[in-house]
Amino acid sequence: MKPLKSMVALVLALLTLAPPSVFASSHREAPITALDRTADITDWYAFVSYDHPDRVTFILNVDPFLEPANGPNYFPFDPNVLYEMKIDNNQDGVEDITFQFRFNTEIRQPGLFTGFVGGIAGIPPITSLTGPGSAGLSLRQSYTVTVVQGAYSACLSCGQTLYAVPSNVGPQTMPNYQALFNQGIYSLGNDIRVWAGTADDPFFIDLGAAFDSLNFRMGVGGVLPPAEDADDTHNYAPDAVAGFNVNSIVLEVPISMLTVDGLVHPATDKQAVLGTWGTTSRNKITVRRSPLPANNSGAFQQVQREGNPLINELIIGTGSKDRFSMDQPKNDAQFASFVLNPVLATVFGSIGIPVAPPPRTDLLILAQYQPPICPGCGPGDAGPVADLLRLNTGIPPTAVGSQKRLGFLAGDVAGFPNGRRPIDDVVDIAARAVAGILVDSTKYGTRIGDGVQLNPEGYGSTFPYIMPANSGRNSVHIGPGQAGCSGDAGGICPVK
Ligand SMILES: [Ca+2]
Ligand SMILES: [Ca+2]
Ligand SMILES: [Ca+2]
């Protein structure tokens, strides 16, 4: 959950509690993506489509904490960034299939003072991404989708123009934003669908409490009472991401296009399991040539990647995060010590939470192909230690309404860490995994949680599964002492 540095922040906060020997290795400059927000991956999701069990949906979210009201330019994708979704289908930690996304920006009304205008000065409201009703859409982005398999590359978007869905400016400019959102769904043929644009950030966390050295609002160490822990439909603490947007690329692909042999496999076959991750890259060379735009050339250098929401953020030491971001998953054995002896477990132990002793080989299910996510994988199939979000495509999706925020831990095996859905409460799941719930759910099964159980903006039940962007004019955020926590008295979020 790169989701906004959330976990970076958490780790930083935690490290202040850690023993001196650990502390010494942590205080470095901020990760490079903190200075490069358009290339900053906030979250990576991969799951079997709820309504199409023969397909997989990938979501790559970038550019954290987009304030919906932030005109006049709002938040376009970066045309200089190569956005990629990568899939390993033969257990070696190396991508076999890559989907690439590139964006292009046009300014259609260069005389306008803002990127979006409508319902004023003779310009009709924005009701379409193209053609009639799109005149006020001055800053417009189109994008391409390419699939790469070895030396073979194919343009999936060619023959049509795909438009990114703009920010939700407000009801006067965009009186039916849901319609614009829906227009952003494109079929690329062969049951492939894509959507890109600004959307509600589906991630959820009490970031303020996490930042304050784990000063959660539900008691010492953030241990949830049983009734709250079992409640997937109310929030008991403020979601710091509520009302913020993110830039999202959503791709749905048939499973048969992703597996090593082009077949759909039962869960017990190792061929059913995919290792997935998202990356952002930039050209190695930039020449600034005022007054002309900068010129980018040369090979691409990876700026960031994300597989599991757990490993990059909760496990890797801050001093190694930049290297981790730029390296390839197949080289992750260099970071294995972080996994086998996580600092966060030490920190939990220091505040009285029972934690499993190192070496934590139980956490390797997140870094290697193993049961239970890959029951068909034997010892020879584990592959290298690699931070991939592993998805068993043979496990059918859990119906909307029956999905559990605690995913796998709650018996909902279609949830994280078997892939990841927007509904999955990865903060709580990851924290409990680090404590040792996978080793012994009784002994190390403390109900760690931040009290934020869901995305207050909700979830989509069909493609593209995310929710439309929050309105620039009319949306609010949720803070302590404010409305927005339906599980608390009067719906007011706790301060203490
Ligand atoms: Ca491979
Ligand atoms: Ca949200
Ligand atoms: Ca939570």
Side-chain angles (χ1 to χ4, degrees):
M1 80 208 73
K2 178 69 199 235
L4 32 126
K5 270 28 191 251
S6 56
M7 286 301 98
V8 170
L10 179 56
V11 168
L12 284 172
L14 292 168
L15 287 172
T16 63
L17 301 172
S21 61
V22 177
F23 184 73
S25 68
S26 67
H27 272 55
R28 298 262 315 263
E29 60 188 343
I32 47 175
T33 45
L35 306 174
D36 187 1
R37 30 160 280 262
T38 60
D40 186 353
I41 300 172
T42 64
D43 283 280
W44 169 248
Y45 303 86
F47 52 92
V48 175
S49 300
Y50 314 152
D51 55 345
H52 286 102
D54 59 333
R55 306 178 194 173
V56 168
T57 296
F58 302 105
I59 304 176
L60 178 64
N61 284 350
V62 296
D63 208 350
F65 275 119
L66 305 184
E67 163 53 45
N70 201 347
N73 293 310
Y74 297 90
F75 305 101
F77 285 92
D78 191 337
N80 297 317
V81 170
L82 169 64
Y83 302 90
E84 293 180 296
M85 300 177 176
K86 300 189 174 187
I87 293 98
D88 168 36
N89 60 24
N90 60 357
Q91 290 90 40
D92 66 357
V94 178
E95 65 269 30
D96 303 291
I97 301 172
T98 299
F99 296 95
Q100 300 181 325
F101 305 84
R102 296 305 303 269
F103 289 82
N104 181 57
T105 305
E106 57 178 328
I107 302 295
R108 303 164 72 210
Q109 306 235 26
L112 277 183
F113 68 98
T114 180
F116 313 107
V117 66
I120 192 171
I123 300 175
I126 299 172
T127 56
S128 179
L129 300 177
T130 184
S134 73
L137 190 56
S138 177
L139 193 168
R140 186 170 68 176
Q141 290 201 297
S142 58
Y143 63 101
T144 59
V145 185
T146 304
V147 62
V148 179
Q149 284 181 271
Y152 166 82
S153 157
C155 174
L156 296 178
S157 54
C158 289
Q160 61 179 323
T161 304
L162 314 181
Y163 295 108
V165 175
S167 290
N168 181 358
V169 171
Q172 174 151 309
T173 310
M174 301 172 174
N176 187 352
Y177 186 75
Q178 180 73 49
L180 294 177
F181 179 89
N182 294 343
Q183 286 175 35
I185 300 173
Y186 293 98
S187 171
L188 305 183
N190 299 311
D191 289 338
I192 302 171
R193 290 192 287 181
V194 68
W195 187 99
T198 301
D200 167 60
D201 191 336
F203 186 62
F204 48 95
I205 185 176
D206 184 350
L207 195 57
F211 254 115
D212 187 27
S213 303
L214 291 185
N215 188 9
F216 288 108
R217 299 177 212 275
M218 31 270 321
V220 178
V223 179
L224 298 178
E228 291 181 12
D229 188 45
D231 183 354
D232 281 13
T233 57
H234 298 91
N235 278 346
Y236 295 86
D239 171 23
V241 195
F244 284 99
N245 295 327
V246 73
N247 278 338
S248 193
I249 304 171
V250 189
L251 180 73
E252 185 177 60
V253 183
I255 292 169
S256 59
M257 193 177 162
L258 300 171
T259 53
V260 66
D261 53 8
L263 300 175
V264 177
H265 288 269
T268 47
D269 287 357
K270 68 179 181 183
Q271 295 92 335
V273 178
L274 305 173
T276 74
W277 69 109
T279 67
T280 53
S281 301
R282 290 184 181 278
N283 290 108
K284 288 188 174 178
I285 300 169
T286 298
V287 178
R288 305 197 185 282
R289 31 173 212 165
S290 175
L292 299 172
N295 181 271
N296 298 289
S297 62
F300 282 96
Q301 166 63 51
Q302 182 176 302
V303 176
Q304 202 185 29
R305 62 174 160 129
E306 180 172 322
N308 281 293
L310 169 67
I311 291 185
N312 192 8
E313 305 304 329
L314 278 180
I315 299 291
I316 302 298
T318 306
S320 299
K321 283 187 191 300
D322 284 352
R323 181 169 179 181
F324 183 90
S325 290
M326 290 186 283
D327 210 333
Q328 303 304 308
K330 65 179 168 62
N331 300 326
D332 282 347
Q334 65 186 311
F335 306 109
S337 61
F338 289 116
V339 177
L340 295 172
N341 190 6
V343 171
L344 184 54
T346 307
V347 173
F348 283 152
S350 76
I351 57 175
I353 293 174
V355 294
R360 295 294 305 283
T361 50
D362 59 299
L363 294 175
L364 287 176
I365 70 158
L366 297 164
Q368 293 194 299
Y369 291 96
Q370 292 184 7
I373 296 170
C374 187
C377 287
D381 301 313
V385 169
D387 175 23
L388 312 177
L389 182 63
R390 290 168 174 81
L391 173 68
N392 188 325
T393 60
I395 295 177
T398 302
V400 173
S402 299
Q403 298 171 349
K404 303 287 189 196
R405 71 180 181 93
L406 292 174
F408 222 86
L409 298 185
D412 174 7
V413 294
F416 180 74
N418 175 30
R420 180 187 173 190
R421 307 163 300 192
I423 195 176
D424 293 332
D425 189 344
V426 294
V427 171
D428 292 16
I429 299 170
R432 294 175 198 200
V434 166
I437 197 169
L438 301 173
V439 177
D440 186 329
S441 61
T442 305
K443 209 168 166 185
Y444 307 119
T446 307
R447 297 179 304 273
I448 304 170
D450 63 351
V452 185
Q453 324 280 76
L454 54 87
N455 174 21
E457 285 82 18
Y459 309 96
S461 56
T462 59
F463 187 86
Y465 301 99
I466 50 174
M467 297 301 281
N470 297 287
S471 164
R473 183 178 185 272
N474 293 340
S475 65
V476 297
H477 303 298
I478 296 174
Q482 298 176 342
C485 292
S486 57
D488 296 307
I492 303 301
C493 296
V495 177
K496 299 258 181 193

